[in-house]
Amino acid sequence: MGLAEDLTTEVATIFRAPWSVRDGTVIPAPADLRLGNNAVKLAGTVLNADMADSTGLVDTYQAAFAAEVYKAFLTCCARIIKARGGAITAYDGDRVMAVFIGSMKNTKAAKCALQINYAMNEIIRPKLKAQYPNTTYVPAHSVSVDTSELFIARIGVRNDNDLVWVGRAANYAAKLCTLRDGAYTSWITAAVYGALENDAKVGANGQPMWEARTWTARNNMSIYRSSWQWKPY
């Protein structure tokens, strides 16, 4: 048989085969799941961190400069995510996705977003300007967070596969990253905000860290944004 016939058989099997699904308590690795219709369900909070206008960066500047900006941003994101107990599930160009689980998953992810904002403002931009004093480029970013039940399956082919994360949180966290608005770089859904510990809602001076907004593109869904920053520790 040719490739088209093989694909026809494989797709028919995917749609026909029953699913074997188990509840999970830890973030799975690809090896924990079979390539067939096998999945893990767990409650998770998804964080997406994304650079702004990376297309303009690669169109305007030399590749090595763009790569340094990517590396600086993603290194800070990854170190902060892991320090806050998150698991990195994907890198995609200038973006990183992470999942947090457990009773404090929403607070950890929200603090992570504010700490990434600190890293951008107080570390990445100053160090870039010190190294390249004549550049006019100013990196910007967005971090977004949502929480829901996640359905995790293994996709791809033998020796070349990964996990797919299916659920509202995975989708909405990615979409929220497009809602950039000046200094407001951190975005969370109402579900995340409602589960936050108080120290992730209100600053030491008693001021609220988050401002309620309406996501008109998602049927006027309630969301929150923040311009606050939090020094990583």
Side-chain angles (χ1 to χ4, degrees):
M1 291 195 300
L3 179 57
E5 289 75 18
D6 287 344
L7 294 175
T8 300
T9 300
E10 290 183 27
V11 169
T13 299
I14 290 170
F15 287 131
R16 183 178 62 246
W19 279 89
S20 172
V21 182
R22 68 182 187 275
D23 292 329
T25 57
V26 298
I27 294 173
D32 297 328
L33 291 161
R34 301 189 306 274
L35 273 173
N37 286 0
N38 180 225
V40 169
K41 288 194 304 182
L42 57 76
T45 296
V46 177
L47 176 147
N48 261 275
D50 188 12
M51 284 188 57
D53 193 25
S54 59
T55 301
L57 172 62
V58 299
D59 282 348
T60 308
Y61 294 87
Q62 292 184 354
F65 178 83
E68 289 173 11
V69 175
Y70 278 29
K71 284 172 63 68
F73 176 68
L74 293 175
T75 295
C76 289
C77 289
R79 290 288 301 276
I80 292 168
I81 288 166
K82 294 177 76 67
R84 298 281 69 77
I88 296 169
T89 56
Y91 290 100
D92 183 11
D94 64 345
R95 180 183 70 87
V96 61
M97 172 183 166
V99 175
F100 296 77
I101 61 174
S103 60
M104 297 288 288
K105 58 184 179 294
N106 296 290
T107 294
K108 289 178 179 179
K111 288 181 178 179
C112 186
L114 303 183
Q115 290 176 355
I116 290 172
N117 192 35
Y118 177 98
M120 177 61 83
N121 292 333
E122 308 298 334
I123 301 173
I124 299 171
R125 287 175 181 164
K127 289 300 182 183
L128 185 147
K129 192 64 177 177
Q131 183 64 35
Y132 300 101
N134 296 324
T135 187
T136 58
Y137 175 73
V138 179
H141 76 290
S142 180
V143 180
S144 52
V145 183
D146 190 23
T147 190
S148 74
E149 183 175 83
L150 297 169
F151 188 92
I152 307 127
R154 191 173 178 182
I155 59 169
V157 296
R158 190 175 301 278
N159 299 322
D160 190 6
N161 53 77
D162 204 347
L163 298 179
V164 61
W165 298 76
V166 181
R168 193 192 79 168
N171 185 267
Y172 279 28
K175 296 292 192 296
L176 272 172
C177 262
T178 65
L179 301 181
R180 298 183 179 93
D181 187 6
Y184 294 95
T185 60
S186 301
W187 300 81
I188 62 177
T189 60
V192 173
Y193 181 81
L196 293 182
E197 295 293 311
N198 196 58
D199 70 336
K201 286 184 175 180
V202 181
N205 57 5
Q207 290 185 331
M209 296 182 181
W210 302 90
E211 175 184 319
R213 307 296 291 173
T214 298
W215 194 3
T216 56
R218 285 290 178 273
N219 298 316
N220 295 320
M221 180 179 176
S222 294
I223 56 175
Y224 290 79
R225 69 180 186 179
S226 180
S227 61
W228 282 60
Q229 60 185 41
W230 195 319
K231 186 176 181 179
Y233 56 90

